């Protein structure tokens, strides 16, 4: 349930801080700074979860030390470039002492995953499979995947009706929801120090803003979120998880720093304590993003499975 709630938090939180104003108060200036960030052509980001700790009781208690071991070494970093129409995103996931790089190209709301970058993930899978069978570790030659991309939305829609429902949240609909959400934010939550402005929200305030944002979305989108999270009272559940959130924007340093503190309270035997940080630096420079050729885009599960079956060594189950 916690992971599902965090997904909702991310969806709502990103939307809430995605608009600017034009006035002489800290609130309006904060969103002016944020507009500079969102319109920048290049961003570098880091998300660190090493200070997050899972607390558990009962049947989940035995898994907590293992999960915390993973979190202690878990980090996501990368960068994003855009030419105003298309985006190129590189992501590196650090887990268990290993790095797993991923590259995406995005046209509008459609993400394409570059396949020849997933070699480390496939080799990690093969190594785990080899350990379970007692066979020597094997590796995958990804040279045949060069210039190949996967249309992630096409695959998701083919296999999951909920993905198709969520896709109906259009940019303009989200923008309207953000505008109405911002009106509910209190100017007292914004403090300025030099060139930096910080937005501070309690867990309840953050949860209320996320709920306000979701309430302003089309009815079909609201239902798909509830169906995906299985939580009827999303606002109350988020407030159980999040203790406080701070977002600091500095238009002189060209940085954005977000910190989410968790309550540590348990719900259904599981809780989170500590905090997660998400830091961004940005600039404007000339960028050109080239999209893959249509013949190099895989749009069906059958085509994807066929491609991977040719890569995987004999005897390894996909």
């Amino acid at each position: 349930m916690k992971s599902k709630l965090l997904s909702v938090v991310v969806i709502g939180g990103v939307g809430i801080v995605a608009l600017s104003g034009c006035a002489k108060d800290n609130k309006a200036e904060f969103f002016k700074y944020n507009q500079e960030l969102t319109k920048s052509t290049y961003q570098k980001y880091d998300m660190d979860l090493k200070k997050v700790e899972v607390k558990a009781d009962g049947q989940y208690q035995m898994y907590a030390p293992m999960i915390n071991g993973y979190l202690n070494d878990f980090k996501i970093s990368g960068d994003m470039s855009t030419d105003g129409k298309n985006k190129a995103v590189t992501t590196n996931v650090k887990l268990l002492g290993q790095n797993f790089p991923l590259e995406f190209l995005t046209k509008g709301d459609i993400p394409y995953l570059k396949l020849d970058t997933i070699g480390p993930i496939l080799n990690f899978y093969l190594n785990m499979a080899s350990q379970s069978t007692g066979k020597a570790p094997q590796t995958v030659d990804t040279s045949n995947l060069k210039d190949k991309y996967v249309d992630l939305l096409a695959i998701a829609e083919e296999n999951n009706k909920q993905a198709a429902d969520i896709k109906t949240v259009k940019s303009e609909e989200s923008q309207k929801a953000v505008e109405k959400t911002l009106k509910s934010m209190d100017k007292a939550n914004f403090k300025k120090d030099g060139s930096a402005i910080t937005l501070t929200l309690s867990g309840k305030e953050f949860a209320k803003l996320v709920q306000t944002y979701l309430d302003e979305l089309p009815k079909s989108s609201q239902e798909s979120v509830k169906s995906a999270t299985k939580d009827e009272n999303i606002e109350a559940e988020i407030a159980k998880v999040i203790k406080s959130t701070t977002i600091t924007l500095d238009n002189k340093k060209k940085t954005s720093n977000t910190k989410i503190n968790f309550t540590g309270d348990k719900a259904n035997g599981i809780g989170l304590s500590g905090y997660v940080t998400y830091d961004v630096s940005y600039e404007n420079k000339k960028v050109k993003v080239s999209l893959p050729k249509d013949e190099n885009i895989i749009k069906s599960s059958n085509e994807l499975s066929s491609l991977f079956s040719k890569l995987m060594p004999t005897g390894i189950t996909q």
Side-chain angles (χ1 to χ4, degrees):
M1 180 180 70
K2 297 297 183 184
S3 61
K4 294 174 182 176
L5 283 171
L6 290 178
S7 297
V8 174
V9 168
V10 170
I11 293 171
V14 170
I16 288 168
V17 297
L19 195 68
S20 71
C22 187
K24 293 184 177 180
D25 59 81
N26 292 337
K27 175 181 174 180
E29 197 169 2
F30 178 90
F31 291 106
K32 180 180 179 181
Y33 287 4
N34 192 69
Q35 186 180 53
E36 294 178 10
L37 186 158
T38 56
K39 289 186 175 181
S40 62
T41 61
Y42 179 79
Q43 298 176 18
K44 190 174 182 179
Y45 60 89
D46 291 278
M47 185 173 73
D48 199 331
L49 285 86
K50 65 183 179 183
K51 296 298 183 179
V52 177
E53 182 181 1
V54 173
K55 296 180 177 295
D57 293 328
Q59 60 179 322
Y60 304 111
Q61 190 171 11
M62 62 183 294
Y63 300 108
M66 178 181 66
I67 295 173
N68 288 327
Y70 292 157
L71 290 175
N72 190 52
D73 190 45
F74 184 80
K75 185 176 181 180
I76 298 176
S77 59
D79 59 27
M80 182 281 296
S81 302
T82 180
D83 57 12
K85 294 182 179 179
N86 307 314
K87 292 181 181 180
V89 179
T90 63
T91 297
N92 183 71
V93 180
K94 183 182 178 184
L95 179 65
L96 298 175
Q98 300 187 57
N99 292 308
F100 302 99
L102 293 171
E103 291 185 26
F104 302 87
L105 292 176
T106 303
K107 179 182 179 181
D109 295 325
I110 303 175
Y112 303 105
L113 170 65
K114 189 177 183 182
L115 283 177
D116 65 358
T117 63
I118 66 173
I121 296 176
L122 294 177
N123 289 329
F124 176 78
Y125 167 73
L126 288 175
N127 184 50
M128 296 296 289
S130 297
Q131 290 181 16
S132 65
T133 59
K135 296 181 179 180
Q138 297 175 292
T139 58
V140 172
D141 180 5
T142 59
S143 58
N144 291 333
L145 300 178
K146 184 176 175 59
D147 297 326
K148 294 289 186 182
Y149 290 79
V150 175
D151 184 330
L152 296 178
L153 272 182
I155 299 296
E157 289 177 1
E158 179 184 345
N159 293 280
N160 187 345
K161 180 61 170 61
Q162 289 180 357
D165 292 337
I166 293 175
K167 185 188 174 184
T168 62
V169 183
K170 301 183 182 300
S171 297
E172 57 269 24
E173 293 172 340
S174 177
Q175 188 78 351
K176 289 179 181 179
V178 168
E179 291 177 2
K180 292 184 178 180
T181 301
L182 293 183
K183 293 179 180 179
S184 67
M185 299 180 75
D186 193 333
K187 291 182 180 181
N189 292 110
F190 299 83
K191 302 295 183 182
K192 187 172 184 179
D193 182 11
S195 59
I197 299 177
T198 298
L199 166 63
T200 302
L201 298 167
S202 67
K204 290 183 178 180
E205 290 172 326
F206 185 84
K208 184 177 181 180
L209 287 175
V210 172
Q211 186 63 60
T212 300
Y213 170 76
L214 294 175
D215 288 344
E216 295 298 335
L217 292 175
K219 193 70 175 180
S220 60
S221 300
Q222 295 179 32
E223 293 302 322
S224 69
V225 170
K226 286 184 178 180
S227 177
T229 62
K230 306 300 182 184
D231 289 307
E232 288 298 324
N233 193 339
I234 294 176
E235 182 178 344
E237 293 298 328
I238 292 176
K240 289 180 183 178
V241 178
I242 305 298
K243 181 178 181 180
S244 64
T245 300
T246 59
I247 304 171
T248 300
L249 300 180
D250 192 318
N251 75 331
K252 185 176 181 179
K253 295 180 180 179
K254 305 297 182 187
T255 58
S256 170
N257 306 101
T258 299
K259 183 179 180 181
I260 299 177
N261 296 289
F262 300 107
T263 62
D265 294 336
K266 301 185 186 71
N268 298 319
I270 302 175
L272 293 176
S273 64
Y275 60 87
V276 58
T277 59
Y278 181 68
D279 301 317
V280 179
S281 60
Y282 63 96
E283 61 179 294
N284 285 298
K285 59 184 180 180
K286 190 174 182 178
V287 172
K288 176 63 177 177
V289 178
S290 299
L291 295 175
K293 296 180 180 179
D294 192 62
E295 59 265 28
N296 288 331
I297 300 176
I298 297 172
K299 300 181 180 181
S300 73
S301 298
N302 287 338
E303 187 179 0
L304 186 61
S305 296
S306 176
L307 184 63
F308 278 117
S309 67
K310 297 175 182 177
L311 291 174
M312 304 300 277
T314 304
I316 298 296
T317 303
Q318 298 177 55

